[in-house]
Amino acid sequence: MALETNVIYYGDNLEILRKYIPDESIDLIYLDPPWKSDQPYNIIFKEPTGEPSQAQIQAFDDTWHWTAETQRAYEEIIENAPSKDVVEMIKAFRNFLGRNDVMAYLTMMCIRLIELHRVLKETGTIYYHCDPTLSHYIKIMMDAIFGKEHFRNEIVWCYAGGGIPKRDFPRKHDIIFRYTKSQNYTYNPEYRPYSEGTLQRGRTRVKGKYWEKGLRPEGTPVNDWWTDIQPIHSPTDKERTGYPTQKPVALLERIIRVSSSEGDVVLDPFCGCGTTLIAAEKLKRKWIGIDITYLAVDVMKYRLRKEFPNIKFKVIGEPVA
């Protein structure tokens, strides 16, 4: 099976991964799976009638409730998981959580992460973007599937804006787990400008001493908490598509620059409005996007053609009239 790139797949990413994506064919995976908010994440735009898209609501609701499909996925993990650690992990989650929406989410993500591990190259990297309400479960799951020895970073993406709760500290960060498949992986350091105070001193501490020859011309390495990339809040933001979980292009550009090289293949199995594809195309990477909703596919096509008028890509599985 040959890998096609610069492709958008419409459909269930589990089926698409199994049907179209060969073993060890992907250099970099980024995923930001939807989870519950005040409204279904998959409602992007309304239908021409002005009503929310019922197809998208159904796609969301069916994914994160315990259903017969979830039970089948759970049983498949127990029977076919590639390691005993994964089986014991998912059993422990089930014993602790029971059959609820959180367990449904973890089960449906586990069976997909097993496939993502399969398609990732030995030199590849995966980034899992989540919010702190589930990150503790996801870290355990990633340890079991990718190996705790392949955990590289827990990146904390800090930002401002949005509402302020009255009875809690404001929740203003996301978690991004970075894992590799082996100890041999791509890593291109990213740098940021020195602070004004450091520039004024003209020196920085290195192993307890001052480096008197001056500062690095490229700046200081970006660490594992990112405060320099702002989310999309403003209705007038030029990137804004209306997709509730849309991430800024700058965030994906950093991830892609750090963990891939030109010509590498980037996969986003929960592609949403296509930000990963935009960033990959800008940085001269090949890409594959998957989403289960047709309106998301429409947004991806529109954004790609608007940003890159001469771009060529394929859509597979899209319904035709």
Side-chain angles (χ1 to χ4, degrees):
M1 175 173 54
L3 179 71
E4 289 197 73
T5 57
N6 289 23
V7 176
I8 299 170
Y9 288 99
Y10 168 76
D12 183 336
N13 53 26
L14 181 62
E15 296 175 6
I16 289 163
L17 287 166
R18 289 173 170 175
K19 183 175 181 181
Y20 293 105
I21 312 299
D23 294 356
E24 298 187 4
S25 59
I26 305 298
D27 296 286
L28 173 62
I29 299 169
Y30 169 84
L31 66 157
D32 180 16
W35 179 237
K36 294 183 176 182
S37 67
D38 294 335
Q39 62 174 340
Y41 274 56
N42 286 344
I43 299 178
I44 309 169
F45 296 118
K46 294 182 179 180
E47 300 283 16
T49 60
E51 296 298 315
S53 168
Q54 293 303 312
Q56 292 183 86
I57 294 172
Q58 190 65 40
F60 175 86
D61 285 345
D62 285 352
T63 303
W64 312 131
H65 293 314
W66 193 274
T67 64
E69 182 183 0
T70 319
Q71 180 65 32
R72 286 193 296 271
Y74 177 82
E75 292 169 359
E76 183 178 341
I77 295 166
I78 298 299
E79 293 173 6
N80 300 322
S83 76
K84 183 180 178 181
D85 286 346
V86 176
V87 174
E88 295 304 316
M89 176 270 301
I90 203 70
K91 284 182 176 179
F93 280 169
R94 173 73 175 270
N95 289 338
F96 176 64
L97 294 168
R99 293 192 301 177
N100 57 21
D101 291 355
V102 171
M103 187 61 206
Y105 174 88
L106 294 172
T107 299
M108 298 304 266
M109 288 312 307
C110 181
I111 200 167
R112 285 159 174 79
L113 283 168
I114 290 170
E115 290 299 318
L116 292 174
H117 182 272
R118 174 185 64 81
V119 305
L120 190 64
K121 289 182 180 179
E122 281 296 308
T123 53
T125 303
I126 182 169
Y127 288 77
Y128 192 130
H129 192 143
C130 55
D131 70 51
T133 61
L134 290 175
S135 60
H136 46 300
Y137 296 120
I138 293 163
K139 174 67 168 62
I140 294 169
M141 187 160 58
M142 297 286 283
D143 280 350
I145 295 171
F146 287 86
K148 58 182 180 297
E149 69 277 13
H150 296 141
F151 168 69
R152 307 258 72 93
N153 290 108
E154 178 180 336
I155 298 162
V156 182
W157 177 37
C158 308
Y159 45 79
I164 304 296
K166 295 181 179 179
R167 296 172 59 85
D168 296 296
F169 294 110
R171 296 175 181 173
K172 302 298 179 185
H173 77 277
D174 287 3
I175 299 296
I176 306 174
F177 291 120
R178 170 176 166 257
Y179 281 76
T180 56
K181 195 167 180 178
S182 72
Q183 301 298 333
N184 178 26
Y185 54 88
T186 298
Y187 182 73
N188 306 306
E190 184 99 341
Y191 297 90
R192 60 180 175 81
Y194 287 104
S195 69
E196 188 61 33
T198 301
L199 291 173
Q200 289 174 358
R201 289 193 302 271
R203 58 191 180 183
T204 188
R205 285 191 179 277
V206 178
K207 294 183 179 179
K209 298 180 180 179
Y210 280 104
W211 181 29
E212 301 290 352
K213 294 182 180 180
L215 304 176
R216 300 181 185 92
E218 65 270 27
T220 186
V222 170
N223 52 28
D224 61 2
W225 48 275
W226 298 352
T227 61
D228 57 337
I229 300 174
Q230 288 303 307
I232 297 171
H233 280 315
S234 171
T236 60
D237 193 304
K238 64 180 182 179
E239 288 187 33
R240 190 178 182 89
T241 65
Y243 197 82
T245 58
Q246 182 180 356
K247 303 302 184 294
V249 172
L251 182 72
L252 272 300
E253 286 180 335
R254 173 169 292 172
I255 288 169
I256 291 170
R257 281 194 303 266
V258 167
S259 292
S260 69
S261 304
E262 287 191 12
D264 282 353
V265 181
V266 179
L267 167 67
D268 188 338
F270 293 89
C271 208
C273 60
T275 300
T276 303
L277 312 188
I278 298 292
E281 183 70 20
K282 279 187 173 183
L283 295 172
K284 299 180 180 180
R285 273 65 165 173
K286 300 171 186 176
W287 49 262
I288 299 169
I290 309 172
D291 204 272
I292 199 169
T293 64
Y294 67 88
L295 288 178
V297 173
D298 281 347
V299 173
M300 286 185 243
K301 293 190 297 183
Y302 172 79
R303 289 186 77 193
L304 285 165
R305 288 168 179 158
K306 181 181 179 182
E307 189 79 25
F308 312 101
N310 298 317
I311 193 172
K312 294 181 180 179
F313 61 89
K314 184 184 292 188
V315 181
I316 295 177
E318 187 177 27
V320 293

